[in-house]
C-alpha cells in the first residue's frame, strides 16, 4: 500500500498506545510546549520511543490533542488520543533538540464487532471502567461494542513490558491478542487443576 | 531653623494622624464587608474585599515566591477561604487586614508544603523500579505522565494498598491490581502472564518466520 509520508515532531515516551487509545501527558519542557502550540499546524505529533543516543523505534503512535488544562502546579496537562500507528523513519534533531520524524501511516486491526471470544473481555473491561474513575475521565465515549477497541484497551492496561506489547502493533495480531488476553484474564480452568 | 524643624515634625505628626484615621475608616469598611459576607453571604461586599486585597496579596506573594502563577493561586485560595471563613473574623481581636493576611499566610504555608512534598517525591529513586530496570534513560520520560503527583501521594500508602492503586501509571495496571480485579491470587496472575507471553512468542514466531 502506498501512502504519503508526513514530517511530524516526536514526543519521546515509551508508552503503548494503539489507535483510539487515550492518555494524559504533562508538558513542561519549552521545546515540547512549542510543539504543542504548533500541534494544530502540524496535525498532531508522534509519541514514540527514543533514547539519548538518537535511537528511535521504527513505529509510533500518531496522536491528536483532545483536551488540556493546567495542573495545580501550573504545568500543562494534555489529553491525547492516538489516531493511527505510524512507521517512523529518518529523523532530524532541531536546534532546540526537538526531534522530527518521517511518519507513514500503518494499518492496524480492522473494525471487529462480533467475535464471541471477546464478550467476556468486554464484560471485564466494563467492570474495570466502573471501578476506576481515571479511565472514565480518559474515555468520554467508550466503544465497548467494538471488539478491536476492547482488546486494544486491555493490551494498553495489562502489566506487560513495552517490549512485549510491541508485538501487537502488527496488523495481523488481533487473534494473537485475543488469545493472549484470554490466557491472562480468563483461563482459570487450564491452570487450576 | 529649629522652628521649621518643629513645624515639619508637626506636619509629619498630622500627616501620620491623617493616615491612621484613613486606616481606621478603611478597617471599619473592611470589617463591615467581612461581617456582611459572614452574615448575609453578600457578594457585593465580597467583591469589595476582593478588589481591595487581591492586588495586594498578588504583589506580596509574587515578591516572596518570584512566581506569578503561584501568587495567583495564593490569591485564589486566600479569597476562597475569606469567603468561607468570614464568620471566624472577630473585630475585637484585631484589625481585619491582619486577619486576612493571616489567612493568606496559612494558605501560603499549605501551598509550599504541598510543593515541597511533591519535590521530595520526585527525587525518589524507587519510584518505578520495574521500568527503570528495563530502560536506564526512562527517567527523562517519567515526568510527562500527569498522574505522577497523584502517584506521589499513593506512594505514602501502606504497601498492599499502594500496589493496588499504583497501576494506571503509564496507563498500565499493576499485577496486584489485575489480580484484585479478576479476584484471583497474585501467583495465578503471574503464571498466567508468563504462559500467555510464552504462547504469544511462539505464535508470533510462526507468523514472522
Amino acid at each position: 500500500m502506498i501512502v504519503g509520508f508526513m514530517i511530524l515532531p516526536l514526543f519521546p515516551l515509551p508508552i503503548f498506545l494503539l489507535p483510539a487509545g487515550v492518555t494524559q501527558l504533562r508538558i513542561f519542557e519549552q521545546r515540547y510546549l512549542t510543539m504543542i502550540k504548533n500541534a494544530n499546524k502540524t496535525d498532531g505529533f508522534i509519541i514514540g520511543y527514543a533514547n539519548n543516543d538518537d535511537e528511535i523505534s521504527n513505529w509510533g503512535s500518531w496522536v491528536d490533542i483532545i483536551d488540556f488544562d493546567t495542573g495545580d502546579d501550573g504545568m500543562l496537562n494534555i489529553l491525547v488520543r492516538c489516531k493511527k500507528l505510524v512507521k517512523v523513519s529518518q529523523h532530524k534533531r532541531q536546534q532546540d533538540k526537538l526531534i522530527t520524524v518521517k511518519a507513514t501511516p500503518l494499518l492496524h486491526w480492522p473494525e471487529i464487532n462480533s467475535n464471541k471470544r471477546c464478550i467476556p473481555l468486554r464484560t471485564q473491561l466494563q467492570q474495570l471502567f466502573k471501578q476506576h474513575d481515571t479511565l472514565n475521565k480518559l474515555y468520554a465515549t467508550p466503544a465497548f461494542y467494538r471488539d478491536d477497541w476492547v482488546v486494544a484497551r486491555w493490551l494498553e492496561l495489562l502489566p506487560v513490558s513495552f517490549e512485549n506489547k510491541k508485538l501487537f502493533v502488527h496488523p495481523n495480531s488481533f487473534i494473537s491478542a485475543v488469545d493472549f488476553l484470554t490466557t491472562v484474564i480468563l483461563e482459570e480452568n487450564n491452570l487450576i487443576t | 531653623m529649629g522652628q521649621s524643624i518643629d513645624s515639619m515634625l508637626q506636619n509629619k505628626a498630622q500627616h501620620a494622624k491623617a493616615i491612621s484615621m484613613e486606616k481606621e475608616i478603611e478597617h471599619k469598611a473592611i470589617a463591615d464587608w467581612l461581617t456582611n459576607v459572614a452574615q448575609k453571604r453578600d457578594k457585593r461586599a465580597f467583591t469589595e474585599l476582593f478588589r481591595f486585597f487581591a492586588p495586594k496579596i498578588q504583589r506580596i506573594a509574587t515578591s516572596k515566591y518570584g512566581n506569578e502563577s503561584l501568587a495567583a493561586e495564593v490569591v485564589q485560595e486566600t479569597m476562597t477561604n475569606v469567603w468561607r471563613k468570614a464568620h471566624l473574623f472577630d473585630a475585637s481581636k484585631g484589625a481585619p487586614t491582619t486577619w486576612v493576611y493571616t489567612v493568606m499566610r496559612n494558605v501560603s504555608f499549605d501551598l509550599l508544603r504541598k510543593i515541597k512534598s511533591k519535590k521530595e517525591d520526585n527525587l525518589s529513586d524507587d519510584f518505578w523500579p520495574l521500568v527503570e530496570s528495563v530502560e536506564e534513560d526512562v527517567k527523562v520520560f517519567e515526568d510527562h505522565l500527569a498522574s505522577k503527583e497523584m502517584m506521589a501521594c499513593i506512594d505514602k500508602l501502606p504497601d498492599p494498598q499502594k500496589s493496588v492503586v499504583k497501576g494506571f501509571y503509564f496507563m498500565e495496571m499493576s499485577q496486584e491490581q489485575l489480580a484484585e480485579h479478576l479476584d484471583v491470587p497474585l501467583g495465578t496472575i503471574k503464571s498466567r502472564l508468563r504462559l500467555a507471553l510464552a504462547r504469544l512468542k511462539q505464535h508470533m514466531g510462526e507468523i514472522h518466520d
Side-chain angles (χ1 to χ4, degrees):
Chain A
M1 192 168 132
I2 301 163
V3 205
F5 67 86
M6 309 157 288
I7 302 290
L8 289 170
L10 178 85
F11 190 70
L13 196 66
I15 48 170
F16 185 73
L17 207 59
L18 291 174
V22 176
T23 196
Q24 195 176 26
L25 302 171
R26 181 182 157 81
I27 310 295
F28 51 92
E29 284 152 285
Q30 190 52 51
R31 59 176 174 274
Y32 297 124
L33 288 169
T34 313
M35 178 187 84
I36 300 300
K37 244 183 250 165
N38 293 331
N40 262 340
K41 265 185 264 165
T42 58
D43 195 14
F45 58 93
I46 308 291
I47 298 180
Y49 179 69
N51 68 17
N52 292 334
D53 300 330
D54 261 11
E55 281 170 38
I56 287 176
S57 89
N58 58 3
W59 68 279
S61 309
W62 180 21
V63 300
D64 268 336
I65 301 169
I66 54 170
D67 202 359
F68 63 91
D69 65 54
T70 313
D72 285 349
D73 47 5
M75 273 186 201
L76 179 66
N77 291 332
I78 59 169
L79 219 53
V80 295
R81 180 168 49 218
C82 173
K83 41 183 172 183
K84 270 195 168 87
L85 295 180
V86 291
K87 181 169 164 264
V88 170
S89 56
Q90 261 190 359
H91 61 274
K92 264 190 215 152
R93 216 173 252 271
Q94 297 179 356
Q95 267 186 345
D96 60 358
K97 288 194 173 171
L98 181 76
I99 301 171
T100 56
V101 295
K102 200 167 140 179
T104 318
L106 285 173
L107 282 179
H108 196 236
W109 309 332
E111 177 168 347
I112 295 161
N113 281 315
S114 46
N115 184 321
K116 276 203 185 114
R117 297 175 64 208
C118 291
I119 297 169
L121 300 177
R122 182 202 308 149
T123 316
Q124 286 287 355
L125 190 66
Q126 280 169 328
Q127 274 174 20
L128 196 69
F129 269 64
K130 258 185 224 156
Q131 286 159 14
H132 296 278
D133 228 23
T134 330
L135 288 171
N136 287 310
K137 278 186 192 136
L138 294 182
Y139 297 96
T141 50
F144 290 117
Y145 62 93
R146 282 182 61 165
D147 295 337
D148 53 315
W149 191 90
V150 168
V151 169
R153 299 300 77 76
W154 260 125
L155 290 178
E156 287 160 2
L157 284 164
L158 278 190
V160 177
S161 74
F162 184 72
E163 280 298 307
N164 285 317
K165 286 186 178 182
K166 263 176 13 190
L167 298 168
F168 299 112
V169 167
H170 198 278
N172 297 329
S173 62
F174 181 77
I175 295 301
S176 314
V178 176
D179 288 343
F180 182 78
L181 292 176
T182 306
T183 309
V184 178
I185 296 169
L186 305 165
E187 195 164 88
E188 4 206 316
N189 302 332
N190 296 9
L191 288 162
I192 303 165
T193 43
Chain B
M1 264 310 242
Q3 240 188 351
S4 76
I5 286 175
D6 267 359
S7 67
M8 259 170 68
L9 282 174
Q10 214 172 1
N11 274 343
K12 273 251 159 89
Q14 267 167 5
H15 188 57
K17 206 171 171 186
I19 288 175
S20 90
M21 264 192 50
E22 254 169 53
K23 280 263 180 241
E24 259 171 48
I25 294 165
E26 201 174 81
H27 284 172
K28 177 82 177 57
I30 297 167
D32 286 348
W33 290 331
L34 281 171
T35 314
N36 285 342
V37 168
Q39 290 170 0
K40 303 185 213 148
R41 305 269 82 189
D42 184 341
K43 284 182 187 154
R44 201 186 288 166
F46 184 72
T47 311
E48 296 295 344
L49 286 171
F50 197 95
R51 251 188 226 142
F52 184 86
F53 283 107
K56 296 186 172 67
I57 296 171
Q58 175 81 32
R59 204 168 50 235
I60 300 167
T62 309
S63 75
K64 281 234 186 315
Y65 311 125
N67 176 336
E68 274 190 29
S69 68
L70 184 63
E73 204 171 333
V74 174
V75 172
Q76 183 95 2
E77 277 295 300
T78 307
M79 294 317 291
T80 312
N81 284 353
V82 166
W83 171 258
R84 285 198 330 218
K85 296 179 176 174
H87 62 279
L88 296 175
F89 166 66
D90 182 349
S92 67
K93 285 187 180 159
T97 43
T98 315
W99 185 79
V100 172
Y101 291 129
T102 308
V103 173
M104 174 196 170
R105 193 191 59 182
N106 293 338
V107 163
S108 308
F109 283 161
D110 281 350
L111 276 176
L112 291 176
R113 215 174 287 140
K114 214 161 92 189
I115 292 167
K116 190 165 168 255
S117 71
K118 267 180 212 163
K119 266 197 195 134
E120 276 166 7
D121 283 317
N122 285 351
L123 295 174
S124 134
D125 275 343
D126 56 357
F127 197 74
W128 192 253
L130 195 139
V131 177
E132 270 170 31
S133 62
V134 180
E135 299 290 349
E136 267 188 25
D137 51 332
V138 86
K139 276 189 194 147
V140 188
F141 307 118
E142 280 184 347
D143 270 329
H144 291 292
L145 292 149
S147 43
K148 175 143 188 174
E149 280 134 281
M150 199 179 83
M151 291 305 150
C153 305
I154 287 166
D155 257 11
K156 291 186 186 120
L157 292 172
D159 273 350
Q161 288 167 31
K162 176 162 63 187
S163 50
V164 175
V165 190
K166 199 162 179 172
F168 299 131
Y169 184 66
F170 280 79
M171 271 320 293
E172 201 176 275
M173 307 171 84
S174 62
Q175 296 186 346
E176 289 82 356
Q177 207 172 15
L178 185 60
E180 164 127 320
H181 173 73
L182 298 172
D183 198 21
V184 295
L186 180 59
T188 309
I189 287 298
K190 286 187 177 166
S191 47
R192 281 190 199 174
L193 281 168
R194 258 198 310 272
L195 180 67
L197 281 170
R199 284 185 184 168
L200 174 71
K201 286 196 172 143
Q202 196 182 10
H203 186 70
M204 288 300 198
E206 281 163 14
I207 291 180
H208 290 297
D209 292 345

